[in-house]
């Protein structure tokens, strides 16, 4: 028996009889005729249930039958097939083909493993490599290096670059090359070439020289050559770089390089500097000074030459210094024992070429100590101490060797590079 549901109030079907769930059509056999007497009708018989009426449902219930939406799949967008069109980095959706292959593997199909192997081979061969900025061809740089140990100089000749990456809207670039010695302060040992306008194949043929480079530096230093694009309205753009370990360069041999530019992860240069375990960090950051000593027996005088400084520490906010050098022969002999060079403005590699003479007997020199200090000149303020070095009988290493050679070889000018340190800073300038 099927029971009829009462229709909702807004049903399009007419309401059924409220007194019964069964709807019976009128029939003459269901009720006695008025013309038949009750005695003729016979005894009353039990009521026979009518056949079940059809189920009546509303239109809303009709549309709700057998509805099972299941999981809603996203509609593929054009950006799913071309991830680089996204304005922000996202994780690309897995390809539908690979998912089908996995389903086949579960069903026992052995072709999935072959397809995955083929995909790995294609990725290793670079067929699926994306052409983002990090993987594009950046160009090549041709240069040569020469180490002059006698003069403690490293000559870097930048010849040309070829096939540089276009950085400007006109499809060209304004390239230049800057050099750094690592480890070391970036501004103190930075050299750069001139800028060539609107070219992707620049030819410089320019030689840059690092002074104060010793044989010990050649075993620990690395030369970094960066090619950049000059931008007048904004910040200069980095194109690519190459690095050469100087320990592979032989003394007196000019070696030519032609290397492809790389986009190495950019970090602060101070963090990327490796520190030599045998050298002090303070000594490396202060800079170096080239000093000459000459004792003239005829005049009983000591001539001290301040030739140049290299890789000085920056003391001003602009990243440079205004250096000058002071020399004092101890024990103090008054004004005759103190000298000062001229001031070189806004530089970390000043060249002085100045000489100063002390009248002192030769037998008194072993008792003397020559104090050399480098200062940064500040107008209206106290000068900043950059670094210093002491030459004398109590010195060690190269400083002691320099002093002994001056005493031994009379009449011969002896030149040495010395590392500036923060020890022995004078109490006043």
């Amino acid at each position: 028996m099927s029971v009829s549901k009462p229709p909702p109030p807004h049903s399009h079907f007419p309401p059924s009889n409220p007194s019964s769930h069964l709807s019976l059509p009128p029939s003459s056999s269901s009720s006695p005729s008025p013309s038949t007497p009750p005695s003729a009708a016979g005894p009353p018989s039990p009521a026979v249930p009518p056949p079940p009426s059809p189920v009546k449902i509303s239109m809303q219930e009709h549309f709700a039958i057998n509805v099972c939406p299941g999981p809603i799949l996203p509609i593929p967008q054009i950006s799913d097939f071309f991830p680089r069109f996204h304005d922000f980095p996202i994780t690309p959706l897995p390809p539908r083909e690979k998912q089908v292959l996995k389903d086949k593997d579960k069903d026992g199909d052995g072709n999935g493993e072959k397809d995955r192997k083929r995909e790995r081979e294609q990725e290793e061969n670079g067929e699926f490599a994306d052409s983002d900025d990090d993987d594009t061809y950046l160009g090549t740089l041709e240069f040569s290096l020469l180490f002059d140990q006698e003069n403690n100089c490293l000559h870097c000749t930048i010849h040309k670059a070829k096939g540089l990456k276009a950085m400007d809207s006109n499809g060209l670039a304004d390239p230049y090359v800057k050099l750094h010695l690592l480890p070391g302060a970036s501004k103190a040992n930075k050299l750069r070439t001139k800028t060539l306008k609107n070219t992707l194949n620049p030819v410089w043929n320019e030689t840059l020289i690092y002074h104060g480079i010793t044989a010990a530096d050649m075993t620990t230093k690395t030369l970094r050559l960066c090619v950049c694009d000059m931008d007048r309205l904004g910040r200069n753009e980095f194109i690519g770089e190459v690095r050469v370990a100087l320990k592979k360069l032989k003394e007196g041999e000019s070696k030519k390089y032609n290397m492809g530019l790389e986009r190495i992860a950019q970090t602060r240069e101070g963090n990327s500097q490796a520190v030599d375990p045998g050298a002090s960090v303070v000594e490396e950051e202060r800079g170096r000074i080239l000093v000459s000593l000459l004792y003239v027996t005829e005049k009983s005088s000591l001539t001290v030459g301040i030739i140049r400084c290299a890789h000085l520490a920056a003391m001003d906010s602009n990243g440079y210094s205004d250096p000058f050098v002071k020399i004092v022969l101890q024990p103090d002999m008054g004004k005759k024992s103190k000298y000062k060079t001229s001031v070189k403005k806004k530089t970390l590699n000043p060249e002085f070429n100045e000489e100063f003479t002390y009248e002192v007997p030769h037998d008194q020199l072993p008792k003397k100590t020559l104090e050399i200090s480098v200062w940064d000149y500040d107008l209206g303020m106290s000068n900043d101490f950059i670094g210093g070095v002491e030459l004398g009988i109590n010195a060690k290493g190269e400083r002691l060797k320099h002093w002994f050679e001056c005493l031994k070889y009379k009449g011969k000018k002896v030149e040495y590079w010395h590392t500036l340190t923060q020890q022995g800073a004078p109490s006043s300038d």
Side-chain angles (χ1 to χ4, degrees):
M1 176 184 295
S2 300
V3 181
S4 173
K5 294 183 180 179
H10 299 287
S11 175
H12 296 278
F13 298 94
S16 60
N17 187 7
S19 60
S20 174
H21 294 286
L22 304 177
S23 58
L24 300 176
S27 175
S28 57
S29 60
S30 61
S31 59
S33 174
S35 59
T36 305
S39 58
S45 59
V48 178
S53 62
V55 177
K56 296 181 176 59
I57 59 175
S58 65
M59 187 66 67
Q60 290 84 347
E61 291 175 322
H62 172 73
F63 286 111
I65 295 176
N66 295 330
V67 176
C68 183
I72 300 177
L73 298 177
I75 300 175
Q77 304 292 330
I78 186 66
S79 57
D80 294 337
F81 302 97
F82 302 95
R84 61 174 18 181
F85 290 160
H86 281 285
D87 295 334
F88 52 89
I90 65 167
T91 302
L93 297 176
R96 295 180 180 271
E97 292 78 10
K98 293 184 178 180
Q99 185 68 30
V100 173
L101 292 177
K102 291 181 179 179
D103 295 340
K104 290 182 179 180
D105 291 342
K106 294 180 181 179
D107 297 337
D109 189 358
N111 295 330
E113 183 64 27
K114 297 180 181 179
D115 294 336
R116 285 196 299 270
K117 184 177 181 180
R118 188 184 307 111
E119 291 175 1
R120 285 194 298 267
E121 292 177 354
Q122 291 174 341
E123 291 178 359
E124 293 175 357
N125 296 334
E127 297 181 14
F128 290 159
D130 192 8
S131 60
D132 288 341
D133 291 341
D134 293 342
D135 298 326
T136 54
Y137 179 73
L138 302 175
T140 59
L141 179 64
E142 184 177 329
F143 60 97
S144 60
L145 302 178
L146 171 63
F147 175 54
D148 183 4
Q149 186 173 1
E150 182 179 356
N151 298 314
N152 297 109
C153 295
L154 176 64
H155 298 261
C156 308
T157 302
I158 311 300
H159 298 293
K160 60 183 178 180
K162 186 177 180 181
L164 295 180
K165 180 183 177 183
M167 304 299 292
D168 298 338
S169 58
N170 59 359
L172 300 174
D174 304 326
Y176 66 92
V177 181
K178 62 180 180 179
L179 283 66
H180 295 99
L181 277 179
L182 304 177
S186 61
K187 284 186 176 294
N189 57 49
K190 181 181 71 174
L191 300 176
R192 60 166 290 176
T193 65
K194 59 187 177 182
T195 303
L196 301 181
K197 299 290 185 179
N198 297 328
T199 177
L200 298 180
N201 300 282
V203 179
W204 288 283
N205 289 327
E206 187 173 348
T207 301
L208 307 175
I209 302 176
Y210 276 106
H211 296 277
I213 304 300
T214 62
D217 293 330
M218 297 297 292
T219 60
T220 59
K221 297 284 187 178
T222 298
L223 181 64
R224 177 190 181 199
L225 302 93
C226 300
V227 181
C228 301
D229 171 61
M230 182 71 178
D231 192 352
R232 291 184 178 181
L233 302 180
R235 187 176 182 181
N236 297 342
E237 296 180 293
F238 174 82
I239 299 178
E241 71 174 55
V242 295
R243 300 193 182 194
V244 179
L246 297 182
K247 62 183 179 181
K248 300 179 181 179
L249 189 65
K250 297 180 180 179
E251 191 273 329
E253 177 186 357
S254 179
K255 189 173 182 180
K256 195 171 184 179
Y257 299 84
N258 190 358
M259 304 175 64
L261 297 176
E262 299 178 1
R263 185 178 289 274
I264 300 179
Q266 295 296 297
T267 58
R268 290 188 177 182
E269 294 175 0
N271 297 335
S272 62
Q273 298 170 5
V275 179
D276 183 13
S280 172
V281 177
V282 176
E283 292 182 355
E284 187 65 35
E285 292 182 352
R286 294 292 94 189
R288 293 179 180 179
I289 185 170
L290 179 59
V291 181
S292 68
L293 298 179
L294 170 64
Y295 187 81
V296 181
T297 307
E298 293 78 6
K299 297 182 180 180
S300 297
S301 62
L302 174 66
T303 302
V304 180
I306 305 299
I307 302 176
R308 68 189 311 147
C309 295
H311 322 324
L312 294 180
M315 306 301 292
D316 297 338
S317 59
N318 59 4
Y320 295 95
S321 295
D322 302 324
F324 67 95
V325 181
K326 291 176 57 179
I327 56 176
V328 180
L329 187 62
Q330 299 286 3
D332 195 348
M333 298 184 300
K335 292 183 179 180
K336 295 183 180 180
S337 64
K338 296 181 179 180
Y339 291 101
K340 184 186 298 185
T341 67
S342 59
V343 178
K344 302 299 180 180
K345 294 290 186 179
K346 197 178 179 182
T347 177
L348 299 178
N349 299 277
E351 186 173 357
F352 298 98
N353 292 321
E354 300 182 25
E355 293 184 345
F356 308 92
T357 303
Y358 292 98
E359 294 182 359
V360 55
H362 186 269
D363 58 353
Q364 295 294 323
L365 276 182
K367 303 177 183 179
K368 299 291 185 179
T369 299
L370 183 64
E371 295 181 354
I372 304 175
S373 56
V374 183
W375 297 80
D376 170 54
Y377 176 76
D378 288 328
L379 181 62
M381 302 174 59
S382 60
N383 299 327
D384 298 323
F385 175 73
I386 297 178
V389 60
E390 292 183 0
L391 306 180
I393 197 66
N394 296 322
K396 297 180 180 179
E398 296 290 325
R399 295 167 292 175
L400 179 60
K401 184 178 179 181
H402 192 189
W403 189 253
F404 273 153
E405 289 188 6
C406 174
L407 298 179
K408 182 178 180 180
Y409 302 106
K410 302 175 185 178
K412 179 182 178 181
K413 182 181 291 187
V414 183
E415 295 183 357
Y416 268 80
W417 280 95
H418 296 289
T419 301
L420 300 173
T421 65
Q422 289 182 331
Q423 274 90 27
S427 57
S428 63
D429 60 350

